[in-house]
Amino acid sequence: MPDSTGRPFPLETSRAGVFAAGDVRNGSIKRVASAVGEGAMAVRLVHEHLQLRG
């Protein structure tokens, strides 16, 4: 689901509401710290996505 500007959320895949982080993300640095940070960001974005739907 796009954000208020009509663009997908950061880390959102081509499937609305599905987010990717860490090694599964295209172009990822593939380091633990990056994966943890991206995972935390993905959780926050999932919460935002769900709030927009509800």
Side-chain angles (χ1 to χ4, degrees):
M1 174 176 279
D3 64 13
S4 60
T5 65
R7 290 175 287 178
F9 284 103
L11 304 180
E12 191 169 18
T13 64
S14 59
R15 187 165 193 168
V18 177
F19 297 83
D23 291 352
V24 298
R25 201 172 130 244
N26 188 25
S28 177
I29 299 172
K30 297 185 179 182
R31 295 186 185 223
V32 173
S34 296
V36 170
E38 289 175 359
M41 183 176 177
V43 169
R44 182 181 60 84
L45 294 169
V46 166
H47 284 279
E48 286 182 33
H49 176 81
L50 293 174
Q51 285 179 341
L52 286 175
R53 295 185 72 203

